[in-house]
Amino acid sequence: MKWNFLTHMPKLRGSLQVLLALSLLIVTPFQVLAEDKSTAVEIDYETFTQDYFEAWKGSQKPDATKEDLEHYLSFLTDDIGYQHLPWSDDDSRQPDGKAALRKGMTYYLASHDEYSAELTNQAYGHNVIMIEFHTVAKGVHPDNGQVTHHDNSSFEVLEIDDGKVSVIRHYSK
């Protein structure tokens, strides 16, 4: 006896519908996981990187003001995570992250007699910005009154969330 396609059509249709439904249930969650996480706010990476770096430089200059510091902090989320090895090895986001950075940066505000920084490299994509820059700074350390001099390159990885920096990983000598 030959297999008759027409007589088995209703059964095949039901089986195909079940197979399709199961395939969708299995594939859809993985498709969602595979998609890039996009921020709610789209940014122009080039402009953001330049503006962020200029704000950072402004907060470090010899005559930096609290307004300069607040301008820099405006680029950050309130729960910013900050890692600067070897001094700070925890990059987890903290509810008071921006407040803690404000406190630490205010302590050193205008402590440089000389300051210059040049952005030497940048790359970005997928809600991450990488910047490399060279800094030359001279000043008096507020803790001990000792003259300090820095001439080094630094590398930062910035994670972006809703158009603001949510995590900073700072690497330097």
Side-chain angles (χ1 to χ4, degrees):
M1 176 165 161
K2 284 185 167 182
W3 190 78
N4 187 338
F5 181 77
L6 293 175
T7 59
H8 291 88
M9 181 70 98
K11 241 186 205 181
L12 285 173
R13 188 178 326 188
S15 296
L16 286 174
Q17 288 173 339
V18 169
L19 184 59
L20 179 62
L22 287 174
S23 297
L24 288 174
L25 287 173
I26 291 170
V27 171
T28 301
F30 291 108
Q31 182 180 3
V32 169
L33 288 173
E35 293 175 0
D36 278 345
K37 178 188 171 200
S38 61
T39 60
V41 176
E42 293 297 320
I43 65 168
D44 173 347
Y45 285 109
E46 180 72 28
T47 301
F48 186 90
T49 301
Q50 294 299 321
D51 292 347
Y52 171 86
F53 189 70
E54 289 302 314
W56 166 254
K57 285 188 344 184
S59 73
Q60 301 300 302
K61 63 187 181 182
D63 59 348
T65 64
K66 288 189 178 194
E67 289 76 22
D68 294 322
L69 177 57
E70 288 304 316
H71 177 61
Y72 168 69
L73 293 172
S74 73
F75 286 84
L76 313 180
T77 61
D78 290 339
D79 64 343
I80 183 85
Y82 182 78
Q83 179 183 48
H84 185 174
L85 295 170
W87 298 279
S88 171
D89 62 357
D90 181 9
D91 67 352
S92 59
R93 293 171 73 171
Q94 300 295 322
D96 65 342
K98 188 188 284 191
L101 270 179
R102 179 181 290 111
K103 181 179 179 183
M105 291 178 74
T106 298
Y107 183 72
Y108 290 99
L109 192 63
S111 65
H112 294 130
D113 298 326
E114 300 172 21
Y115 181 82
S116 67
E118 178 187 357
L119 187 61
T120 57
N121 194 9
Q122 61 186 357
Y124 35 78
H126 307 290
N127 302 321
V128 174
I129 297 173
M130 178 282 301
I131 58 175
E132 187 175 13
F133 53 97
H134 186 83
T135 302
V136 177
K138 183 179 175 188
V140 177
H141 197 285
D143 282 340
N144 57 24
Q146 297 290 319
V147 173
T148 62
H149 184 268
H150 304 282
D151 185 346
N152 62 3
S153 291
S154 298
F155 187 89
E156 287 188 351
V157 177
L158 313 172
E159 293 182 15
I160 308 299
D161 189 10
D162 287 331
K164 293 195 174 214
V165 178
S166 59
V167 176
I168 300 170
R169 290 187 179 86
H170 182 93
Y171 306 91
S172 63
K173 291 182 180 180

